[in-house]
Amino acid sequence: MTKDAFKKNIPGLEKIFIIYSRLTHLPYVECNEETFDDESFIYTEEEDAVAKAKALTEEKKATVALKVENKHMLQTLSGFFTYGINMLVFRTKEEEYRLELKELINRPDFSKIPNDKKPMGMDKPIENPQLQLSMMYFLQELRRGMEKPDKEAYRSMEEEVAVNLQRAQYLMPVQEAEKDGNKILQMMMIKLKDGTTMLPIFTDVLEYMHFNGKRETKLVLTDLEKMDKMTLPAETKGFLLNPAGAGLPLTKEYVVRLAGAKG
């Protein structure tokens, strides 16, 4: 089957199987050494997807084959724009097809969404695909737990994450409360399994929805400089970026250091 013929068949597939990383809870991503595309892997046959996930897991790249039904396919793949993934590698029983995400799916046009339908009433989308992508690569390696890690590679990836953290804007959920008869905004807090308390922040609305379902709340924009100046509750250690996804902890000390380096 030609690439064009396969592309036309994709909307009719009953289901697909996407390789997801257990280390980031996001699609497993690889950089193609020849084209430098950031690739995600999708299978039409479950047994092949499971075999791929098993092979990666044996390399300490813990992954799982996640089944996506036809009715959820468009929504799931549209979310890949926020991850910075540009290439989808489809594998059938016989063939492999490489399709750019943008040639398969139109990037959602936020300006065409009616104001009353825009998530959280936001005027413009907040997305950080480069930050998401750099975190995915970094945490996929960091969390493998290799006995002899490539420290130079780690350092390079960590520096890229740091630069993208400095450039980003974040969404922070807050709740309205009353104090001394006045309405105030309180920052939400989450407690981790080890008892640590942190403030959740998000790279985009999709990550927030993964964390908080369909419940509406107020989201405010923040960045490292604003986070640097925040007075956190005594028991709070810092911020947790995308708790339902990569879950990258940012201690208050780290935020202060990055904010200072940015200035």
Side-chain angles (χ1 to χ4, degrees):
M1 186 183 300
T2 66
K3 175 180 172 180
D4 287 340
F6 175 74
K7 186 165 73 170
K8 290 178 181 178
N9 284 345
I10 292 176
L13 295 174
E14 292 185 6
K15 56 186 174 295
I16 57 174
F17 300 87
I18 304 175
I19 305 300
Y20 269 71
S21 170
R22 291 184 181 274
L23 306 178
T24 64
H25 308 291
L26 296 170
Y28 173 75
V29 61
E30 282 186 6
C31 181
N32 188 292
E33 295 182 356
E34 295 181 359
T35 65
F36 300 105
D37 287 313
D38 299 299
E39 301 175 338
S40 181
F41 300 94
I42 302 174
Y43 289 77
T44 60
E45 305 297 325
E46 183 174 16
E47 60 180 338
D48 294 336
V50 170
K52 174 66 173 179
K54 181 179 179 181
L56 288 170
T57 300
E58 289 174 352
E59 298 175 13
K60 294 195 173 182
K61 300 175 182 179
T63 53
V64 62
L66 182 67
K67 181 171 72 172
V68 178
E69 301 285 354
N70 180 279
K71 62 182 178 180
H72 300 303
M73 198 182 302
L74 179 60
Q75 181 181 7
T76 299
L77 294 180
S78 294
F80 281 34
F81 284 112
T82 67
Y83 304 141
I85 295 170
N86 75 296
M87 184 64 67
L88 304 179
V89 181
F90 282 85
R91 289 178 176 164
T92 68
K93 201 68 176 176
E94 299 84 15
E95 301 287 346
E96 175 179 293
Y97 302 93
R98 296 169 55 80
L99 294 169
E100 285 194 70
L101 180 61
K102 64 182 181 181
E103 71 175 295
L104 185 62
I105 300 173
N106 292 325
R107 187 179 182 88
D109 188 345
F110 202 80
S111 66
K112 293 183 178 180
I113 301 176
N115 288 333
D116 62 341
K117 299 294 184 181
K118 290 181 178 178
M120 312 301 171
M122 296 170 59
D123 292 330
K124 61 180 182 179
I126 300 299
E127 295 180 353
N128 294 281
Q130 289 305 311
L131 174 55
Q132 279 271 54
L133 189 63
S134 60
M135 283 197 303
M136 291 160 71
Y137 279 122
F138 176 55
L139 295 177
Q140 279 182 180
E141 287 301 312
L142 181 67
R143 293 173 177 172
R144 289 176 69 188
M146 300 295 287
E147 293 182 5
K148 296 181 179 180
D150 186 338
K151 294 182 180 179
E152 186 174 343
Y154 279 178
R155 185 161 51 250
S156 176
M157 287 187 286
E158 185 176 22
E159 288 173 356
E160 185 174 354
V161 171
V163 169
N164 287 320
L165 286 169
Q166 291 171 323
R167 294 172 176 169
Q169 285 187 308
Y170 308 96
L171 297 172
M172 175 178 284
V174 295
Q175 296 173 321
E176 287 190 348
E178 284 196 11
K179 184 177 183 180
D180 300 327
N182 298 315
K183 286 188 176 181
I184 62 171
L185 295 178
Q186 290 184 334
M187 294 176 286
M188 292 179 63
M189 294 188 290
I190 56 175
K191 182 172 286 188
L192 307 184
K193 292 181 179 180
D194 63 0
T196 301
T197 301
M198 306 192 87
L199 304 180
I201 58 174
F202 304 88
T203 54
D204 51 75
V205 171
L206 182 60
E207 284 290 344
Y208 171 73
M209 297 300 285
H210 287 163
F211 171 75
N212 205 35
K214 295 186 180 297
R215 287 180 291 166
E216 294 281 331
T217 190
K218 187 174 181 62
L219 292 171
V220 298
L221 275 178
T222 189
D223 56 31
L224 285 184
E225 293 180 2
K226 293 177 182 177
M227 291 156 60
D228 176 15
K229 297 173 183 176
M230 289 180 188
T231 300
L232 304 186
E235 72 275 17
T236 302
K237 302 298 182 183
F239 306 86
L240 186 62
L241 181 57
N242 295 348
L248 180 66
L250 307 173
T251 64
K252 178 66 174 180
E253 293 76 15
Y254 183 62
V255 168
V256 170
R257 187 164 73 250
L258 281 187
K262 180 180 179 181

